[in-house]
Amino acid sequence: MRPAHHRVPRARVTAPGRWHEIAVVDTDDELVAVVLDHLRAGVAAGERTVALLQGWLAAHVREVLPGVEVLENGPTAPRGPDAVAAQLALLEEARAQGRRLRLLGVVHPRTTRGWDERLRDEAAHDALVSAPDLSSLCVYDRRTTPAEVLEAALLTHTHVRTLDGPVPNAAHTTGHQFVAALGVPEEPLQRSAPVFAVDDAPSLPELRHQLGRALRGRAGGRDREEDFHLAVSEIA
């Protein structure tokens, strides 16, 4: 396993506190070694240890480390806000048990937009799920992750996992600074002509009527039409 970035210092970290680590692996053997090492340390320390995994790796961890809570996603990852809320709930539960919380997640391949959202999720985690009684490790696979994503992901983690263990990350920046530097992604839909445009609606009821007519048959189902219509009405 190679360090994720050449600017990472080599001083070993031993002090407790808030750790948001990143590890970058190159092979399945490295993946298994990093995952088991992190989780085994949590179980040995009596921490509440939770892993978000998929497929064969989830089954392997359940077999080898029964003291780990393995949460297995479906084909798609949870939305960023849902993931942060779930992590905060786990943290509160661990505190109620008088235990430290240790999290681990293996990042799976995504679409271009999905990777962009993943980076924003990392920044949100770094900003919102910040506590001295929590450590988390995000594992990226160099074989399936774009190089530019790895470079950007490094900025959102306080520590980097190397062959010598976790070390402080000199490249770390705050979640707010990171998101501000990302810019706003453009959806392909934005390049097309609008189906419905309003420059000056005479009244809110009239706007709702016009919007309802424009949405009819275009949202993929009646329920989705009504949800979108309600959302736009509330914004207006």
Side-chain angles (χ1 to χ4, degrees):
M1 178 180 64
R2 299 194 297 271
H5 200 280
H6 69 277
R7 287 182 293 171
V8 176
R10 303 298 293 175
R12 184 67 181 268
V13 176
T14 56
R18 162 72 171 116
W19 286 13
H20 183 202
E21 292 182 57
I22 183 173
V24 181
V25 299
D26 296 282
T27 67
D28 286 346
D29 287 343
E30 288 182 0
L31 173 63
V32 172
V34 167
V35 168
L36 292 184
D37 179 65
H38 186 75
L39 297 177
R40 192 174 282 123
V43 173
E47 299 174 345
R48 183 173 184 184
T49 306
V50 181
L52 184 61
L53 306 170
Q54 287 185 340
W56 64 269
L57 186 55
H60 182 64
V61 170
R62 286 193 182 100
E63 179 182 357
V64 176
L65 295 174
V68 174
E69 299 175 45
V70 178
L71 306 178
E72 192 166 357
N73 275 338
T76 58
R79 295 173 59 251
D82 295 334
V84 168
Q87 291 161 9
L88 290 172
L90 287 170
L91 182 58
E92 288 304 313
E93 291 172 6
R95 286 171 174 167
Q97 299 166 356
R99 303 166 73 189
R100 181 180 172 84
L101 176 64
R102 179 177 294 240
L103 299 173
L104 178 142
V106 175
V107 181
H108 294 279
R110 296 163 178 255
T111 63
T112 300
R113 178 60 191 270
W115 282 120
D116 184 78
E117 289 300 318
R118 172 66 193 184
L119 292 174
R120 284 170 163 75
D121 293 347
E122 291 280 29
H125 176 98
D126 197 51
L128 300 175
V129 193
S130 180
D133 49 355
L134 166 68
S135 65
S136 57
L137 173 63
C138 303
V139 184
Y140 286 78
D141 192 325
R142 202 184 305 271
R143 296 169 294 180
T144 57
T145 308
E148 62 272 17
V149 172
L150 292 177
E151 288 292 313
L154 175 72
L155 303 177
T156 63
H157 293 79
T158 63
H159 297 79
V160 177
R161 182 66 63 99
T162 72
L163 293 175
D164 298 326
V167 296
N169 180 14
H172 175 252
T173 186
T174 66
H176 298 90
Q177 292 172 325
F178 178 80
V179 171
L182 280 179
V184 179
E186 182 188 51
E187 292 284 357
L189 184 63
Q190 292 175 264
R191 304 190 195 105
S192 61
V195 171
F196 175 60
V198 178
D199 295 322
D200 184 22
S203 67
L204 187 57
E206 178 60 25
L207 172 62
R208 288 173 174 154
H209 290 317
Q210 292 181 30
L211 178 62
R213 289 194 296 270
L215 277 173
R216 198 163 298 126
R218 287 191 169 95
R222 183 68 176 171
D223 289 343
R224 188 174 295 178
E225 286 180 19
E226 292 178 353
D227 288 345
F228 188 77
H229 188 271
L230 176 62
V232 174
S233 297
E234 289 297 318
I235 293 171

